[in-house]
Amino acid sequence: MNKKSMKWFMHLSIAFAMIFSLLAPAGANVSRAADVLTVAEAIANNNGQTATVEGYITAHTTGAKSVKFDPPFGNDYNVAIADSSAEKDVSKMVSVQLPSSFRSTFGLQSNPALIGKKIKVTGELLAYNSMPGVKNASAIEFSDAVSEPPTDELKTIAEARVLPKGSSAAVTGTVTAIFTAGGKNNVYIQDDTAGMIIRGASLDAKVKAGDRIKASGSVNDYYGMSQLDTSAEAVSVEQADAGVPEAQIVSSQNFNEEIEGELVTVKNASVGSKDSNGNFSAEDANGKFVIKPSDSALLESGKTYDSITGVIDYNFNEYKLVPRFSQDAVEDESAVRPVTADPAPGFIQSGTEVALSTETEGAAIYFTVDGSEPNTQSIRYEGPIKVEKDTVIKAVAVKNGLKNSDSSAFEYKIQKEAIRIHDIQGESHTSPYNGQNVADVEGIVTHVADSSNFYMQDMNPDSNENTSEGILVYKRSHGLKAGDIVKASGQVKEWVLEGYSEKLQTDLPVTEINAAGIEKVSSNNELPAPVMIGKDRIAPAKVIDNDQFAAFDPEEDGIDFYESLEGMRVGVENPKVVAPQKYGELVVVPESVKSNTKDGGLRAKKNDFNPERLHIDINDESFLAKTGDSFKGMINGVVSYGFSNYKILSSKNELPEFVPGNTKREITHIKSKKDELTVASYNVENFSAADGDEKVTKLAQAIVTNLNKPDIVGLTEMQDNDGPADTGTTAAGESYKKLIDKIKELGGPEYSYTDIAPEDKKDGGQPGGNIRVGFLYNEDRVKLAPGKKGTATQAVGYEKGKLTLNPGRIDPANEAFESSRKSLAAQFKFNGEDVIVVANHFNSKGGDQPLFGKNQPPELKSEEQRHKIAAIINGFVKDVEKKNPDANMIVLGDFNDFEFSKTFDILEGSELKNMVDKIPAKERYSYIYQGNSQVLDHILVSKHLAKTTKADIVHINSAFMEEQGRASDHDPLLIQTDFSSKKRICSIWEQILNKSNQNQYKEFCAR
């Protein structure tokens, strides 16, 4: 631009500026911060200031710049708002973080009918979910004089069950059972029409069996089981103690949708074997059925019961009877039910009154206190028995027409000395007082988990580090807060807290006092100083357990170390984050613990799965943290256990200063060369054409930029065209096209693709998604060799220098591939060379027992299938190389196993070399699970290619959250193999000639 034009342009700019300044309200950019902003203004001013924003709830934010418009919604953690209720453009929305206090009212999972409602939010204008946002809200209210969410229409349970998923509804019913799963309560209710589950957090603190309740929420289902997602605030007790409905008598033939969610009884049931998930096979006169008791100890295999009562559950295409407690399993209905006592046997204070009862209505109870066996001539029970000295109460229940109950004995000891928390905990994973009653156990409340659970700690610890000074106490509606000093009396139990469906078979219990009474001594007391992990106590850095719990050794065994601190207040100084935040948990190590990956993580090794990892539960899934971040100061909390791991219960609001680390998403150091073939392996985590633009852009950008446009890309977890929708579709052409088009748009080559569609729902993975392996290849660099494409059931072979099918699946009918992805072989041409690439996705580790579980060493059931698949693939390679010793083989994919595992001993054999071994140890990971950096993705090559092959794991995903650019849970791998003539000849020569012709080899190859 010349000087004259520049001068004219400046005058014009000034003129426009003056005009706009006259038209605009004075101080618009400043004063509006104190007023109510539109969403557009909040987007333009997303700079950290505190402001009030008004807009319509349009969607639920599901990830970075990704939203969902229609119910059901996944959680209550956020809403997206816009200036128009009909807005569909994400760029015109603000993502509003919902603190826990606002979730029950404004969360979309609990209140899906709020879509389209207008709200005002006061909070900090900060990016959230990689889009303009409002965080740390201090106030949220409905606009236009709307003071509360719309009232859900009251339905019968039968009516509510058939509503579309995501519909709002309110139901009333009587509670028949309450279970805990996944950190929430499943409350079974029924009315005169049907039964269903009411699911929400902390419901057990508000309702109990026999209460008639009203609940509002969102209709949902869990693997086909009807449920109403709700919150404690949306549940009210209409009539307390209305009485549990009488169980209806059914047979195995009646297990269907008609009785789903209802309380039933099956007569004359024989109980068979129990599987690894706690399911018992059973049979009555009409057929077979399945029982999944709340506790496996309720039933005994090989026994026949006169009746078994429970609620009917449905999951994984199977109806199951779920007994609730021991009284539900009756061996002999002709006998009176046994006598029970409250409080439970154990230590009591002098003068404690013991109440006896039996479930058999109208039965009389006779008891003795002198050690003799009770009969109808003994003392008849008329009311509570006062116990003032050590006493054994023996009791029997009697009713005309029935056999007498078995005699029950209850031993009580007068507690003369105080029982301390460390006495109850003992040097063991099981309390020496388990099942016994204790009285007046004193401690200071250190952490309130919810209205029914709190942790307390002894203020006068002993000198034994092996005995914990903290304990969990269960008491409904306890009303306590941190700093209260209390005395708890009740029964000591070993209780399995929140976990996966198989938790009773896999997880460790937590010692608790099931309190019958709580006495508050004082309030507002100073909490005990936390035990500093890494300073006061050093966690074992290698061994989780090496003696199958034979000895309690906290100095050597990590599992014993954390048990010795169970329930106690602990601290971690300047903790370092070793994994991205997930499920509201941060995995950290103390500052003093050395990391061993380049990004600040901990790499899993053959005999070291890093027991020093600490799981900090901050209960905030929106907290952004990646591997390599840290905190300046101390995180403190209470040691607990859940979902198969010890964890420290803390709070986001108590975290010290957060220090972002320097971990960056990588770009490979491998550059494209004329005579060198580049091959990548990338698990794209359930990608399909149904995914939004954000995910495909991230995946494509990684292939173009981070992987530098590989010649061949082996893909795993490619889904069919409509993704998880279960429509019977198996073709994935549209999914590949979406990715290929985006790669080209971002400056990459126009890749071609090849795969073989699986049979519908035969290869595992997300139901309806039909994941498979496949290839992208750049035809400017490589060609797919001519050949006939195989079908899902045809097996590929190798004859006369080429694959019999191209591409073709390797032994797809073999039982080793059942419910797993079939391996795919394809033959390519590169610079005149034939290269066979085999893409794999071995079966997952699902079903393996946890590292910190009750079974030591953990049983790794999934390994057997991987070993079988590895043998099949090695056999295929062996056959090819037998027929063509200088065949070029590349075997890649997600193998769901480690480089040091038996799977790779089998797979490599004497034919292949794992290129992961070439990668420096500090960079050797492609996946992070519970804080362990590990390799699940591998590329192996024929041994004669190993010397001329370079390898790189490109860390772009596993260390990051979605908001930080993550597109998959796996990092991609890349190799580059030199096929230039001299290196190629010498490499083959070295492998196949062995010791012969050494002079010729040296003369040619040493030059």
Side-chain angles (χ1 to χ4, degrees):
M1 184 179 291
N2 58 36
K3 288 184 179 180
K4 186 175 181 180
S5 298
M6 176 68 77
K7 187 174 181 181
W8 173 85
F9 180 80
M10 290 178 65
H11 283 303
L12 187 63
S13 299
I14 294 169
F16 271 110
M18 292 177 67
I19 292 169
F20 280 117
S21 68
L22 291 172
L23 294 174
N29 289 335
V30 178
S31 65
R32 286 303 298 269
D35 299 330
V36 177
L37 302 184
T38 65
V39 171
E41 289 169 331
I43 292 172
N45 294 280
N46 218 241
N47 52 16
Q49 65 180 309
T50 297
T52 298
V53 185
E54 186 173 46
Y56 294 93
I57 298 176
T58 56
H60 177 252
T61 313
T62 56
K65 299 179 183 176
S66 178
V67 299
K68 191 171 189 288
F69 295 104
D70 300 311
F73 300 107
N75 57 52
D76 286 331
Y77 297 147
N78 68 73
V79 296
I81 63 174
D83 286 327
S84 167
S85 61
E87 187 61 69
K88 299 297 181 184
D89 185 346
V90 178
S91 68
K92 296 179 181 178
M93 298 180 190
V94 162
S95 183
V96 178
Q97 179 191 46
L98 296 179
S100 57
S101 58
F102 295 109
R103 291 173 186 169
S104 62
T105 303
F106 296 97
L108 286 174
Q109 184 184 60
S110 298
N111 309 286
L114 291 182
I115 291 290
K117 301 299 177 183
K118 199 173 190 180
I119 61 171
K120 292 179 183 177
V121 186
T122 301
E124 297 174 18
L125 301 183
L126 292 169
Y128 181 51
N129 288 313
S130 298
M131 56 193 287
V134 180
K135 298 183 71 173
N136 305 316
S138 58
I140 306 178
E141 62 182 17
F142 290 98
S143 303
D144 303 328
V146 179
S147 58
E148 59 183 25
T151 303
D152 296 319
E153 183 182 353
L154 190 63
K155 303 280 187 182
T156 67
I157 293 177
E159 290 171 336
R161 283 169 54 94
V162 297
L163 290 173
K165 282 180 67 172
S167 300
S168 296
V171 295
T172 60
T174 303
V175 178
T176 57
I178 302 176
F179 305 113
T180 300
K184 294 184 178 182
N185 297 130
N186 289 335
V187 177
Y188 285 74
I189 68 168
Q190 64 186 67
D191 61 11
D192 293 336
T193 67
M196 75 184 307
I197 291 173
I198 307 298
R199 179 165 171 80
S202 302
L203 300 184
D204 60 347
K206 195 164 190 177
V207 305
K208 64 183 184 299
D211 289 349
R212 187 164 62 83
I213 67 171
K214 178 181 178 182
S216 299
S218 174
V219 175
N220 201 351
D221 72 74
Y222 181 76
Y223 289 99
M225 178 70 181
S226 179
Q227 65 184 43
L228 191 74
D229 291 334
T230 188
S231 62
E233 293 79 6
V235 175
S236 60
V237 177
E238 301 283 286
Q239 181 183 351
D241 301 314
V244 175
E246 184 177 351
Q248 57 181 305
I249 309 298
V250 301
S251 76
S252 56
Q253 286 187 334
N254 303 125
F255 277 36
N256 55 41
E257 194 169 5
E258 293 295 317
I259 61 170
E260 182 182 295
E262 297 185 33
L263 187 67
V264 303
T265 296
V266 179
K267 297 284 190 178
N268 300 315
S270 299
V271 176
S273 61
K274 180 184 71 172
D275 67 17
S276 59
N277 293 319
N279 295 299
F280 286 85
S281 61
E283 189 170 359
D284 69 359
N286 293 294
K288 297 179 179 180
F289 63 104
V290 177
I291 306 176
K292 178 68 180 290
S294 60
D295 184 344
S296 294
L298 299 183
L299 297 176
E300 188 175 331
S301 294
K303 278 191 174 181
T304 297
Y305 294 81
D306 280 357
S307 69
I308 302 177
T309 299
V311 289
I312 295 294
D313 188 27
Y314 179 84
N315 57 64
F316 298 102
N317 302 313
E318 196 168 41
Y319 289 98
K320 299 176 183 180
L321 178 66
V322 185
R324 303 158 296 174
F325 31 68
S326 59
Q327 295 90 331
D328 278 342
V330 180
E331 283 189 63
D332 187 357
E333 287 188 331
S334 66
V336 179
R337 299 291 285 157
V339 177
T340 58
D342 184 27
F347 289 93
I348 58 173
Q349 294 293 334
S350 178
T352 297
E353 293 187 336
V354 176
L356 304 180
S357 62
T358 175
E359 285 191 333
T360 303
E361 190 174 350
I365 297 174
Y366 296 88
F367 70 94
T368 66
V369 292
D370 59 4
S372 63
E373 289 301 314
N375 55 46
T376 54
Q377 303 304 310
S378 303
I379 305 169
R380 183 175 176 127
Y381 178 76
E382 301 291 350
I385 305 163
K386 182 179 285 190
V387 179
E388 297 180 307
K389 61 180 181 179
D390 292 355
T391 302
V392 177
I393 299 174
K394 294 185 176 182
V396 65
V398 176
K399 184 177 182 180
N400 288 335
L402 296 176
K403 291 185 289 187
N404 294 352
S405 73
D406 291 335
S407 176
S408 300
F410 313 101
E411 183 176 4
Y412 296 93
K413 294 181 179 180
I414 302 303
Q415 187 171 303
K416 297 175 182 177
E417 297 181 358
I419 294 177
R420 312 300 300 188
I421 293 173
H422 49 252
D423 298 325
I424 297 171
Q425 287 283 12
E427 295 187 53
S428 172
H429 286 267
T430 302
S431 169
Y433 289 84
N434 186 29
Q436 297 184 44
N437 202 73
V438 293
D440 293 340
V441 180
E442 189 172 73
I444 182 170
V445 177
T446 55
H447 179 84
V448 175
D450 54 39
S451 60
S452 297
N453 295 275
F454 66 89
Y455 292 80
M456 69 177 188
Q457 186 166 325
D458 200 320
M459 297 165 292
N460 298 298
D462 63 9
S463 58
N464 184 358
E465 287 188 340
N466 290 357
T467 59
S468 171
E469 301 293 341
I471 197 166
L472 173 65
V473 180
Y474 174 79
K475 182 73 171 77
R476 286 167 59 100
S477 305
H478 55 71
L480 299 172
K481 63 181 186 299
D484 289 344
I485 293 176
V486 299
K487 292 181 179 180
S489 300
Q491 186 180 21
V492 176
K493 290 185 175 183
E494 293 293 342
W495 195 255
V496 178
L497 300 181
E498 60 183 2
Y500 303 105
S501 60
E502 65 276 11
K503 65 181 181 179
L504 296 178
Q505 287 71 50
T506 60
D507 286 11
L508 289 168
V510 171
T511 305
E512 73 168 27
I513 299 174
N514 191 337
I518 299 285
E519 177 190 349
K520 187 195 293 188
V521 177
S522 63
S523 297
N524 302 317
N525 297 284
E526 186 176 348
L527 299 183
V531 175
M532 299 301 296
I533 297 178
K535 199 174 200 178
D536 300 332
R537 299 280 303 278
I538 308 297
K542 187 174 183 180
V543 176
I544 292 176
D545 175 86
N546 59 9
D547 56 18
Q548 296 177 282
F549 298 111
F552 193 72
D553 188 2
E555 288 191 5
E556 184 173 65
D557 293 357
I559 203 165
D560 296 340
F561 174 82
Y562 296 110
E563 179 68 18
S564 74
L565 292 167
E566 180 188 272
M568 288 186 68
R569 196 162 182 260
V570 298
V572 192
E573 201 165 47
N574 299 328
K576 301 184 292 189
V577 180
V578 298
Q581 181 273 117
K582 192 171 185 180
Y583 302 131
E585 293 183 6
L586 301 169
V587 187
V588 306
V589 292
E591 183 181 31
S592 57
V593 173
K594 291 183 178 180
S595 58
N596 58 11
T597 75
K598 64 184 289 293
D599 291 326
L602 290 178
R603 192 168 64 85
K605 291 171 278 190
K606 187 170 185 177
N607 296 307
D608 182 4
F609 283 85
N610 302 306
E612 66 270 38
R613 294 169 293 120
L614 303 170
H615 293 255
I616 312 294
D617 187 350
I618 62 172
N619 193 30
D620 183 3
E621 295 190 42
S622 66
F623 190 88
L624 291 180
K626 64 183 181 299
T627 304
D629 292 341
S630 62
F631 292 88
K632 185 178 181 180
M634 182 177 68
I635 292 179
N636 61 65
V638 170
V639 177
S640 186
Y641 185 99
F643 287 99
S644 307
N645 270 307
Y646 286 96
K647 54 188 63 180
I648 298 171
L649 306 181
S650 188
S651 168
K652 173 196 171 183
N653 297 327
E654 297 176 3
L655 294 176
E657 179 186 347
F658 178 72
V659 182
N662 295 318
T663 305
K664 305 292 184 186
R665 301 177 75 238
E666 296 177 349
I667 296 176
T668 184
H669 56 77
I670 293 175
K671 307 295 183 185
S672 179
K673 295 181 181 179
K674 178 183 177 183
D675 293 325
E676 299 186 17
L677 177 70
T678 54
V679 180
S681 177
Y682 196 1
N683 182 321
V684 293
E685 194 180 11
N686 294 318
F687 174 73
S688 78
D691 280 311
D693 187 66
E694 181 184 11
K695 178 159 184 172
V696 70
T697 299
K698 287 180 181 178
L699 293 174
Q701 192 68 64
I703 291 170
V704 173
T705 303
N706 304 88
L707 297 177
N708 196 20
K709 302 182 281 290
D711 300 323
I712 300 172
V713 183
L715 298 174
T716 58
E717 290 198 19
M718 282 293 287
Q719 290 192 339
D720 61 34
N721 293 330
D722 56 12
D726 191 3
T727 62
T729 297
T730 60
E734 294 173 20
S735 298
Y736 282 103
K737 184 178 185 302
K738 184 166 186 171
L739 179 57
I740 290 168
D741 288 349
K742 183 60 70 171
I743 290 171
K744 185 178 179 182
E745 178 187 322
L746 296 176
E750 186 172 0
Y751 282 100
S752 298
Y753 82 92
T754 188
D755 77 350
I756 294 178
E759 296 180 274
D760 189 29
K761 295 189 283 293
K762 289 291 184 68
D763 284 12
Q766 193 174 16
N770 289 311
I771 56 173
R772 83 288 308 278
V773 296
F775 299 100
L776 301 181
Y777 57 98
N778 180 3
E779 292 203 72
D780 291 338
R781 296 267 297 168
V782 296
K783 303 290 185 185
L784 185 67
K788 179 183 177 183
K789 179 177 179 177
T791 68
T793 57
Q794 287 180 300
V796 67
Y798 184 79
E799 300 292 344
K800 299 178 181 178
K802 64 180 182 178
L803 296 178
T804 58
L805 300 166
N806 195 28
R809 296 177 123 195
I810 299 174
D811 200 4
N814 195 300
E815 64 176 4
F817 287 107
E818 185 176 354
S819 296
S820 187
R821 280 64 56 194
K822 282 63 176 174
S823 299
L824 184 71
Q827 188 166 343
F828 297 94
K829 291 278 189 181
F830 174 74
N831 287 0
E833 295 279 355
D834 282 306
V835 182
I836 296 174
V837 187
V838 181
N840 305 269
H841 187 189
F842 285 15
N843 63 293
S844 76
K845 291 181 175 291
D848 287 357
Q849 294 179 345
L851 294 173
F852 278 91
K854 67 189 290 186
N855 303 307
Q856 295 293 333
E859 186 179 356
L860 307 178
K861 299 177 184 178
S862 70
E863 282 187 333
E864 183 180 353
Q865 185 177 2
R866 285 194 296 279
H867 295 166
K868 290 178 180 178
I869 297 174
I872 292 169
I873 304 307
N874 176 263
F876 177 79
V877 172
K878 193 172 292 183
D879 180 66
V880 172
E881 295 196 352
K882 180 181 178 181
K883 295 170 180 176
N884 181 5
D886 62 350
N888 302 310
M889 303 286 292
I890 298 174
V891 179
L892 57 78
D894 174 4
F895 295 87
N896 274 311
D897 226 332
F898 314 122
E899 71 273 26
F900 47 76
S901 66
K902 183 179 177 181
T903 298
F904 278 91
D905 292 339
I906 297 169
L907 182 61
E908 288 188 55
S910 59
E911 295 76 27
L912 298 170
K913 191 74 176 170
N914 193 349
M915 293 298 93
V916 163
D917 296 335
K918 282 193 165 189
I919 296 171
K922 66 181 181 179
E923 299 178 26
R924 202 179 298 159
Y925 69 93
S926 66
Y927 190 83
I928 301 178
Y929 181 68
Q930 296 183 353
N932 271 319
S933 296
Q934 54 199 250
V935 182
L936 298 182
D937 308 84
H938 307 258
I939 302 182
L940 300 86
V941 301
S942 300
K943 279 195 170 179
H944 68 262
L945 297 179
K947 278 195 172 183
T948 59
T949 299
K950 294 178 283 190
D952 188 17
I953 298 177
V954 187
H955 299 115
I956 58 175
N957 293 320
S958 64
F960 305 91
M961 295 174 62
E962 282 187 19
E963 293 85 348
Q964 298 160 332
R966 175 186 187 132
S968 167
D969 48 355
H970 291 249
D971 290 324
L973 288 79
L974 184 69
I975 64 165
Q976 186 172 48
T977 301
D978 190 343
F979 280 94
S980 58
S981 56
K982 179 180 176 180
K983 289 185 178 180
R984 169 94 176 93
I985 292 168
C986 292
S987 181
I988 295 175
W989 201 343
E990 183 178 10
Q991 291 295 318
I992 68 175
L993 294 185
N994 217 359
K995 296 293 183 182
S996 63
N997 299 317
Q998 287 296 308
N999 291 334
Q1000 289 177 320
Y1001 170 76
K1002 290 177 181 177
E1003 183 180 350
F1004 179 75
C1005 296
R1007 288 185 302 204

